[in-house]
Amino acid sequence: MKRIAAVTLVLGLVLAASGRAGAADPPVIRIGWSVPAQTQHYVMMKKPGILKHYGKAYKADWVNFPGSVAIIQAIASKNLDAGGISIVPLARTIEQKAANLKIVADMMSERKGGFQTTWVTLESSGIKTIADLKGKTMGVAGYGSTTDLLARAILRKNGIDPDRDVKRVEVPFPVMESAMRKGDIVAGELAQPFYANAKARGGIRELFTAQEVLPVLPLLVEAFTAEFMAAHPQAVKAFLEDYVTALDFARDPKNRDEVVGIVAEVSKLPRDVLATFLLTPQDYFMSPDAMPDVEAIQKTLDFLKEGGVLKTQLDAKSMVDVSLHPRAKR
Amino acid sequence: MAASAAKIVVRGLAKEFADRTTGRAVPAIGGLDLDVLAREFVCLLGPSGCGKSTLLYVLGGFVSATAGTVLIDGKPVGPPGPDRGIIFQEYALFPWLTVLDNVMYGIRGAASPAERRARAEALIAKVHLNGFEGHYPRHLSGGMKQRVAIARTLAHDPDILLADEPFGALDTQTRTLMQEELLRIWEADRKTILFVTHSVEEAVILADRVVVMTARPGRIKADIAVPLPRPRDYDALVRDPVAIELRAELWRLVKEEVVRARGAG
Amino acid sequence: MSAAAARPAWRALLRLRRGYSVLLVLAAWETASRAGAVNTFLLPPASEVLVNLWNLATEGRLLFHLAESLLRVAAGLGLAVAAGIPLGLWKARSRLADAVLDPVMAFWFPVPKVGLIPLALLFFGFAHGSKIALVFADALLPLVVATYHGALHTDRRLIWSARAMGDSERRILWRVVLPAALPQIFTGLRLAVTVSLLVVFLAEMVASSSGLGHVMIYALRTLETKDVFSALVTISLIAFLADWLVIQARRRVLVWHA
Amino acid sequence: MNGAEEAAGKRRAARIGGATIVIAVLALWEGVSAGGFVDEQVLPRVTVVAAAWWELLLSGELPAQVASSLGRQAAGFSIAVVVGVVLGIAMARYRAIDDFAGPLITMILPIPKAALIPLVMLWFGIGDVAKTIVVFLGTILPVVVSAYHAAGSVDQVFLWSARSMGDNEAQLLRRVVLRAALPEIMSGIRMGLIISLIVLVGAEMLAGRGGIGWLVFYTLDTGAYRVTYAAMLTIAAIGFAYDRLFLAISRRLLHWVEQE
């Protein structure tokens, strides 16, 4: 008697743990997100009411990670099915066959018409051109990050060896402006919202952006594992429709106040700081059709190959799968 | 065979220690023979560092011999067990237990907790500590602690009592009282006792036989019977000519070894 | 009969005996990775990591970063020892100091110091200062606590004997209480060494341009898993060596201790 | 002359001293930030942090995050105490266990947990189990080291006495070694308790589903430092409360220890 009860209990627990107790439940998409610049995700998380399919065709388990690399590790260890990921780690993942990821939608890019990560100096620093940086100390937000790779290319293009001619120290984004004003570094990179903040306080001069080496940098994309797409195409299709809905909602000027509030809530940053740039031309560029820019991705891959970051030549077309995208031309 | 009748038989016992700094082997006991009869009270006397305590620890099963045989009741000495009780100079009372709990610690096999408690209380009464059952060791004087230790050792009713200078840290008055108390307890049930001491007086008052050891490496130097009647009266022994003679003889033997040890050191 | 004759061979075997579990783990790691039981991106084979480590080491850069990390640990730990032991002694000997320090420490120590990294960067600089400060802040706790406990339980007879010999309270602190507390202080030091290594690598991962932690985070960002594990193995070896050194020092200093 | 009066006086002095230190630190903080010595973005003023803390408290976010963390912390800490004490004593008593576990412990525990996160994900997922394991790994070190040293230095006469009273190995360990080692083990556990709160940050950055440690790391990343400091102070306050509770329990448990 006791044994039967125990076996039943164990079986019950196993079933409950496997999460497939009710066959009628929609599939759960385990999806990784991070801050900043994933506005589409934040809207989906905080306003599921506007989404047509949520809870019916799929459910989402939103998990925050400190960045793309952590999301990729979680995907490789089969703890996630999807995530908003930066293009460089994504390319490295595919190159190493660490996970079979497909780009299914655009999230944000750095290009004219939107904000681009900007290398700045103080107006009083006397630095006018990139060449003036020779022998000086500059701040890098993260060695080996995408923006770092771009900065190195730009420095080299301007006749400065990034390893010899300048001293580059790692400074977290939130400290960059203070370090510069304090004189610990003469120049540094600023992403949003730190750029907006620094600009508001004044005395900042722009030195360069990635424009010079990559006119369009598709920085963040939405990616799914091929396995999940094959197993649950309807769920992914429904998710992408909702994703576009959230994008449209965010881009609609009459919702701006609400979206700023959502981002403030998610990022815990002060609302008034966010309001100065969010969803303006000073914000990162979100493509209205949410379609991945295959050409720009290819150019980025080529650039990475040239710079030695990628060892193999990757093909953007094979990395992108828009077969379930609601705005794909068929 | 006379030897097989003895309770404890030691033959050719040797013990070496490794020096912690040099790593060399240092002999503590070198080829020692000793017989102790059942119900005999034997005192081990010798200069400091002659291996008296080591011999006791080998008998207790705490340390193993480098060479030689040690038999108890005809069997090789085994790991420590309740058949051999030990009393240390440092009392070794568990500071986290009360007097009662310390004494109850070694009582096993009793039918019920109440029975164990009753036995422990009886032993506490035997060492005159009634009323201190709930005290922790830190609240007791040295003599009281040692009485608790004796009660605790008696609680598991050992066959053999090994005492390692148990009264060495006590003042003279307390020491005298404790000696009398130990004799009173011993005369009631006559356990085999091997008692290590560096006091000639103590050995004469307590022992049936005094074994004098040489300086390191320890061997038997002399084995002297104490022909004094029991029960012994402390005050009488102070003036007893036999006792006086014996003390002088023992002191002479020990002194030789002390001088020798100093010369060697 | 005596073990003296066979000693050299025995010594060698004893050494091996203390390392075999590490070899076992390496073997299990290698097998798991080779057999395809785990994603090699997350756990590359041990042999490849070791080869990679050898290449990095002979290239020289790794040794530079290692030296940077060790310098920071040595400085931070040294400061923590210099401050922690007197603080612990003082806390144990003065009731007033204990009453004031205890709540302050109880509040300060649980603060996750990683949150202070930005501040440390601005106050102590981007190079060594900020990391040394963080190592100091976290290594202090085990040293103060251990010294305090060791000093608190000093046999009062020792203190009284010293007093009777006319020693001043300060002299007693250094000549009696400190030696009596040494066994516990070494326990604290063992912990502090491990904590220091942990903190320095963590601090270097959050913001640094050199050090093993920096090597590791750079490798993580560029998804060079083999480099990540090479740094990990180096850290493990360093930790093992540091611990061994503390144990040896303990043995040397505490010859009188049972 | 009057000992009780003197003690009360010292306590009062200590309380005043402690309060003075707290007020001085807070005033210094406010001054440094408001006076522009440190950028307010990096070190927000005390008043700003306090306001953020109050806001988080009222919105219910702070209590929720704390509650979700304390479960993990308590679980990881408890397992670390049990495993650490047992392992430490076993290592001190049995050479074979020491030889096996000793090198592994010294080699694995100093690795920053952030670097182990991929492996933790691989074997334990990204749920509470994984986070509890990270807390456990971070917390066990002081417990195991103190138990090891304490059990290794238990007075020989205790062990021999217990043996000669018929204790078998299990009884000896439980009734003598554990008890005799308890004072030092407790100081290791006290450290472990404090560290368990610190490592929450590392554990909860594993995969963010909330928690007070997650809040620290997350806002450190976004630059919302007023929240970072509010969360850090909350952790410190919890640590303080824990420590006082621990001391009270410890005093009861160790009442037999002889102190000057």
Side-chain angles (χ1 to χ4, degrees):
Chain A
M1 218 33 204
K2 244 182 198 165
R3 182 176 291 179
I4 294 170
V7 168
T8 321
L9 185 70
V10 168
L11 274 179
L13 285 174
V14 167
L15 280 178
S18 68
R20 285 189 220 102
D25 280 351
V28 176
I29 302 172
R30 300 168 303 169
I31 180 162
W33 61 277
S34 55
V35 280
Q38 301 196 354
T39 309
Q40 298 93 324
H41 280 168
Y42 313 148
V43 171
M44 289 180 87
M45 282 157 57
K46 293 291 171 189
K47 275 196 84 70
I50 63 166
L51 307 176
K52 241 192 302 181
H53 307 292
Y54 184 77
K56 296 192 268 291
Y58 72 95
K59 273 185 178 166
D61 180 11
W62 297 100
V63 194
N64 168 253
F65 286 86
S68 295
V69 170
I71 293 178
I72 285 167
Q73 288 168 342
I75 290 173
S77 56
K78 308 210 181 303
N79 287 298
L80 285 184
D81 308 306
I85 306 175
S86 303
I87 195 79
V88 179
L90 179 77
R92 287 282 294 141
T93 309
I94 288 166
E95 185 181 36
Q96 300 188 56
K97 302 186 173 60
N100 194 1
L101 281 169
K102 294 289 175 198
I103 298 170
V104 295
D106 172 74
M107 189 164 270
M108 72 89 166
S109 42
E110 291 199 7
R111 59 166 13 146
K112 279 230 163 68
F115 176 77
Q116 297 177 285
T117 302
T118 309
W119 281 260
V120 300
T121 182
L122 290 182
E123 272 166 9
S124 56
S125 71
I127 305 284
K128 296 267 185 324
T129 65
I130 296 174
D132 294 342
L133 285 170
K134 198 164 186 138
K136 299 285 197 296
T137 303
M138 62 187 290
V140 182
Y143 270 90
S145 65
T146 308
T147 52
D148 177 39
L149 298 171
L150 294 167
R152 293 172 65 89
I154 292 164
L155 288 175
R156 215 175 280 122
K157 213 174 149 196
N158 286 273
I160 290 190
D161 183 329
D163 295 315
R164 289 208 183 86
D165 298 341
V166 282
K167 197 172 162 217
R168 297 168 349 116
V169 296
E170 198 166 281
V171 183
F173 269 128
V175 185
M176 197 75 78
E177 186 198 340
S178 300
M180 200 158 55
R181 291 194 194 273
K182 197 168 158 270
D184 289 338
I185 52 176
V186 297
E189 59 177 315
L190 289 176
Q192 291 290 34
F194 310 108
Y195 179 82
N197 227 346
K199 205 76 182 155
R201 297 216 262 173
I204 298 283
R205 182 174 44 234
E206 194 172 305
L207 261 177
F208 62 91
T209 68
Q211 187 67 33
E212 200 172 324
V213 287
L214 266 183
V216 182
L217 170 66
L219 195 55
L220 277 172
V221 293
E222 186 80 283
F224 270 76
T225 65
E227 295 82 10
F228 190 86
M229 290 173 77
H232 306 285
Q234 288 313 310
V236 178
K237 190 162 188 281
F239 175 88
L240 287 174
E241 269 177 42
D242 282 354
Y243 179 85
V244 169
T245 305
L247 172 68
D248 290 346
F249 180 89
R251 287 175 47 81
D252 188 338
K254 68 174 188 288
N255 297 329
R256 183 166 184 267
D257 261 4
E258 193 178 351
V259 175
V260 168
I262 287 173
V263 177
E265 192 191 334
V266 171
S267 68
K268 319 238 179 277
L269 287 166
R271 201 192 157 97
D272 47 346
V273 172
L274 293 169
T276 58
F277 71 92
L278 214 61
L279 299 160
T280 72
Q282 274 306 300
D283 194 3
Y284 295 100
F285 182 84
M286 292 187 288
S287 161
D289 60 2
M291 284 291 286
D293 184 340
V294 179
E295 193 189 333
I297 292 173
Q298 188 62 57
K299 282 203 171 125
T300 308
L301 294 174
D302 295 347
F303 166 79
L304 293 172
K305 172 75 176 42
E306 229 170 273
V309 177
L310 291 177
K311 276 112 199 149
T312 47
Q313 183 65 55
L314 293 179
D315 173 29
K317 264 201 232 75
S318 68
M319 287 167 60
V320 172
D321 183 346
V322 288
S323 59
L324 301 167
H325 197 297
R327 288 185 184 165
K329 290 187 204 94
R330 266 171 265 264
Chain B
M1 263 163 78
S4 66
K7 181 90 183 160
I8 301 171
V9 178
V10 179
R11 287 289 174 273
L13 176 70
K15 176 69 189 174
E16 287 179 0
F17 287 108
D19 189 307
R20 289 238 290 177
T21 37
T22 63
R24 265 184 306 187
V26 179
I29 301 175
L32 183 144
D33 297 334
L34 178 68
D35 286 351
V36 179
L37 301 175
R39 300 174 186 283
E40 200 177 11
F41 196 134
V42 173
C43 276
L44 280 173
L45 198 59
S48 318
C50 72
K52 317 185 282 281
S53 297
T54 308
L55 171 61
L56 216 58
Y57 298 159
V58 172
L59 285 168
F62 304 121
V63 298
S64 55
T66 313
T69 53
V70 178
L71 303 176
I72 289 176
D73 290 328
K75 289 187 286 280
V77 66
D83 56 325
R84 284 152 291 157
I86 186 152
I87 308 172
F88 296 101
Q89 182 180 350
E90 313 91 320
Y91 322 123
L93 292 182
F94 299 129
W96 53 88
L97 296 180
T98 60
V99 167
L100 181 67
D101 288 334
N102 260 295
V103 176
M104 276 172 70
Y105 191 101
I107 304 179
R108 274 154 232 258
S112 66
E115 214 174 294
R116 292 170 55 210
R117 197 189 162 95
R119 250 178 81 186
E121 277 170 349
L123 281 165
I124 291 169
K126 206 169 174 180
V127 296
H128 304 305
L129 280 174
N130 320 52
F132 290 94
E133 289 86 348
H135 285 57
Y136 282 88
R138 69 187 154 109
H139 294 128
L140 303 180
S141 71
M144 289 159 92
K145 280 185 199 167
Q146 197 54 282
R147 279 189 274 162
V148 177
I150 291 171
R152 191 177 69 170
T153 310
L154 294 175
H156 55 88
D157 200 21
D159 245 12
I160 299 170
L161 249 177
L162 304 170
D164 187 12
E165 295 191 40
F167 307 144
L170 302 178
D171 63 89
T172 321
Q173 285 127 22
T174 314
R175 189 170 183 154
T176 309
L177 291 174
M178 291 297 295
Q179 286 163 357
E180 285 181 337
E181 209 155 308
L182 179 67
L183 278 179
R184 185 175 53 77
I185 293 166
W186 178 72
E187 273 156 11
D189 54 11
R190 292 247 173 181
K191 291 179 186 308
T192 310
I193 297 190
L194 203 55
F195 190 107
V196 165
T197 180
H198 56 253
S199 157
V200 169
E201 286 78 10
E202 189 164 75
V204 171
I205 290 162
L206 295 174
D208 294 328
R209 194 148 65 86
V210 180
V211 173
V212 182
M213 288 177 69
T214 64
R216 176 175 283 199
R219 286 189 194 83
I220 305 278
K221 182 183 177 78
D223 190 336
I224 295 167
V226 181
L228 296 167
R230 291 186 188 272
R232 289 181 184 162
D233 178 351
Y234 183 85
D235 300 317
L237 283 186
V238 176
R239 278 164 278 115
D240 188 308
V242 180
I244 291 171
E245 176 63 26
L246 197 56
R247 274 199 290 267
E249 165 73 1
L250 287 173
W251 175 231
R252 190 182 55 76
L253 289 167
V254 174
K255 197 174 170 187
E256 274 176 22
E257 290 307 313
V258 172
V259 170
R260 230 167 55 96
R262 201 180 291 154
Chain C
M1 199 155 47
S2 151
R7 186 146 294 146
W10 262 111
R11 280 268 162 89
L13 263 179
L14 278 178
R15 289 276 148 77
L16 206 66
R17 193 173 81 173
R18 219 174 144 69
Y20 80 100
S21 57
V22 175
L23 296 178
L24 273 183
V25 167
L26 282 177
W29 168 7
E30 179 77 12
T31 327
S33 191
R34 291 269 176 216
V38 295
N39 190 335
T40 53
F41 165 71
L42 294 171
L43 187 65
S47 54
E48 284 181 23
V49 169
L50 293 178
V51 168
N52 188 59
L53 176 60
W54 177 253
N55 292 339
L56 289 177
T58 46
E59 219 173 70
R61 292 297 289 169
L62 192 71
L63 295 179
F64 161 75
H65 289 295
L66 178 61
E68 294 274 289
S69 295
L70 290 183
L71 176 75
R72 290 160 184 169
V73 168
L77 189 63
L79 287 173
V81 169
I85 291 176
L87 265 179
L89 287 178
W90 188 41
K91 192 167 173 297
R93 301 303 308 164
S94 152
R95 196 176 297 177
L96 183 67
D98 185 34
V100 175
L101 279 180
D102 207 57
V104 171
M105 282 169 40
F107 199 82
W108 166 247
F109 284 127
V111 170
K113 310 294 181 304
V114 67
L116 295 176
I117 287 180
L119 210 56
L121 288 174
L122 285 188
F123 269 118
F124 302 110
F126 292 85
H128 296 314
S130 49
K131 284 96 203 168
I132 292 171
L134 288 165
V135 168
F136 170 77
D138 266 341
L140 195 60
L141 168 74
L143 286 162
V144 174
V145 171
T147 310
Y148 170 75
H149 279 280
L152 197 64
H153 299 293
T154 305
D155 191 337
R156 78 183 109 169
R157 282 167 296 187
L158 297 179
I159 296 170
W160 290 347
S161 322
R163 237 175 242 165
M165 288 183 275
D167 275 1
S168 68
E169 286 304 307
R170 171 172 304 196
R171 199 178 146 85
I172 288 172
L173 210 56
W174 292 108
R175 299 294 297 269
V176 179
V177 179
L178 178 67
L182 266 182
Q184 291 231 34
I185 291 177
F186 266 100
T187 308
L189 183 65
R190 233 187 129 177
L191 269 176
V193 166
T194 308
V195 168
S196 302
L197 292 169
L198 199 59
V199 172
V200 85
F201 298 135
L202 188 69
E204 286 171 352
M205 284 176 78
V206 174
S208 179
S209 318
S210 62
L212 275 183
H214 163 79
V215 171
M216 191 149 65
I217 196 71
Y218 182 81
L220 262 176
R221 282 199 194 113
T222 51
L223 285 94
E224 295 286 359
T225 316
K226 271 181 230 162
D227 288 359
V228 176
F229 278 90
S230 298
L232 274 179
V233 170
T234 312
I235 289 171
S236 284
L237 286 173
I238 293 303
F240 186 77
L241 273 177
D243 194 57
W244 182 81
L245 277 177
V246 175
I247 291 173
Q248 292 307 311
R250 182 194 168 99
R251 206 165 282 164
R252 281 281 161 87
V253 176
L254 299 183
V255 274
W256 48 269
H257 188 61
Chain D
M1 278 296 108
N2 186 336
E5 217 166 82
E6 197 193 340
K10 285 225 168 120
R11 258 201 306 280
R12 207 164 31 244
R15 214 165 286 155
I16 295 167
T20 314
I21 291 176
V22 170
I23 292 168
V25 168
L26 291 181
L28 184 73
W29 177 353
E30 182 78 11
V32 159
S33 181
F37 295 103
V38 179
D39 194 333
E40 266 196 61
Q41 275 181 30
V42 179
L43 183 68
R45 285 191 247 174
V46 181
T47 40
V48 172
V49 171
W53 187 84
W54 186 242
E55 205 179 296
L56 284 168
L57 186 72
L58 288 188
S59 73
E61 168 148 17
L62 197 65
Q65 306 284 32
V66 167
S68 92
S69 282
L70 288 190
R72 291 173 198 130
Q73 179 266 337
F77 169 72
S78 313
I79 302 170
V81 166
V82 174
V83 176
V85 169
V86 170
L87 188 62
I89 291 179
M91 281 167 61
R93 297 278 306 162
Y94 309 110
R95 187 69 200 259
I97 294 177
D98 190 16
D99 284 340
F100 181 82
L104 291 182
I105 285 177
T106 48
M107 291 184 87
I108 292 170
L109 291 183
I111 295 173
K113 303 303 166 283
L116 288 180
I117 281 177
L119 295 181
V120 173
M121 279 183 186
L122 185 63
W123 291 318
F124 306 107
I126 55 175
D128 277 341
V129 173
K131 285 168 203 163
T132 304
I133 283 172
V134 175
V135 173
F136 161 77
L137 284 176
T139 310
I140 192 172
L141 182 75
V143 183
V144 104
V145 170
S146 66
Y148 175 77
H149 284 293
S153 54
V154 172
D155 204 330
Q156 190 82 55
V157 296
F158 289 161
L159 304 177
W160 287 0
S161 299
R163 279 279 192 217
S164 75
M165 286 187 278
D167 265 5
N168 61 30
E169 187 68 17
Q171 288 169 320
L172 185 79
L173 289 178
R174 189 169 48 82
R175 301 212 293 176
V176 180
V177 177
L178 181 62
R179 295 300 296 271
L182 203 56
E184 200 177 337
I185 291 179
M186 289 300 270
S187 96
I189 292 177
R190 185 180 180 188
M191 243 178 287
L193 185 61
I194 293 172
I195 293 176
S196 72
L197 284 166
I198 299 177
V199 294
L200 266 180
V201 178
E204 290 179 347
M205 69 184 256
L206 173 72
R209 292 179 197 272
I212 189 77
W214 170 81
L215 200 59
V216 170
F217 195 79
Y218 178 79
T219 56
L220 196 61
D221 221 26
T222 64
Y225 284 171
R226 65 193 200 295
V227 179
T228 314
Y229 286 105
M232 279 163 63
L233 287 177
T234 308
I235 292 177
I238 295 170
F240 182 78
Y242 266 171
D243 198 57
R244 298 297 100 168
L245 184 68
F246 179 88
L247 281 185
I249 294 171
S250 175
R251 255 196 290 273
R252 289 216 143 182
L253 225 50
L254 300 178
H255 62 91
W256 50 269
V257 173
E258 209 160 335
Q259 282 182 8
E260 204 196 347

